[in-house]
Amino acid sequence: MKQRYRNCRCLKQEVDALLRSNASYQAQHIGKGTTPKEKEEVNRYCYEQFILPIKDLDKEFFESIS
C-alpha cells in the first residue's frame, strides 16, 4: 500500500503541521547549554506529542521517520 501522506493533501497538511510543531518545540528547548537529561526529556515529549500521532494518520510514513 502506498503512503497516504504522499497522496492525500489533507493528510499531508496534518502530518506537516505535526512535523513543524516538533521542529519548533525542539528549536525552542534545545540549545548549547542543554544537558543530556534535558535533551532526553525534550525528545520524549516531542515523540509522544508530535511524532507518535503521525502513526495514527499514516503508519508507513511514521515507520519511515522513526
Side-chain angles (χ1 to χ4, degrees):
M1 181 170 84
K2 292 183 180 178
Q3 293 177 347
R4 294 181 334 170
Y5 173 80
R6 303 212 187 282
N7 300 317
C8 178
R9 177 180 271 177
C10 294
L11 179 65
K12 185 173 182 348
Q13 289 175 341
E14 287 182 63
V15 171
D16 287 351
L18 288 166
L19 293 173
R20 276 191 301 277
S21 295
N22 176 59
S24 176
Y25 188 90
Q26 287 197 28
Q28 291 173 26
H29 293 88
I30 295 179
K32 258 185 162 176
T34 308
T35 67
K37 183 158 178 67
E38 290 170 329
K39 286 180 185 178
E40 185 179 311
E41 275 300 306
V42 169
N43 287 334
R44 181 196 56 76
Y45 177 83
C46 287
Y47 183 79
E48 291 174 358
Q49 298 300 312
F50 308 121
I51 304 302
L52 201 53
I54 294 172
K55 186 176 185 179
D56 294 331
L57 298 172
D58 186 337
K59 186 175 180 180
E60 287 183 45
F61 183 76
F62 167 80
E63 290 172 359
S64 74
I65 64 168
S66 59

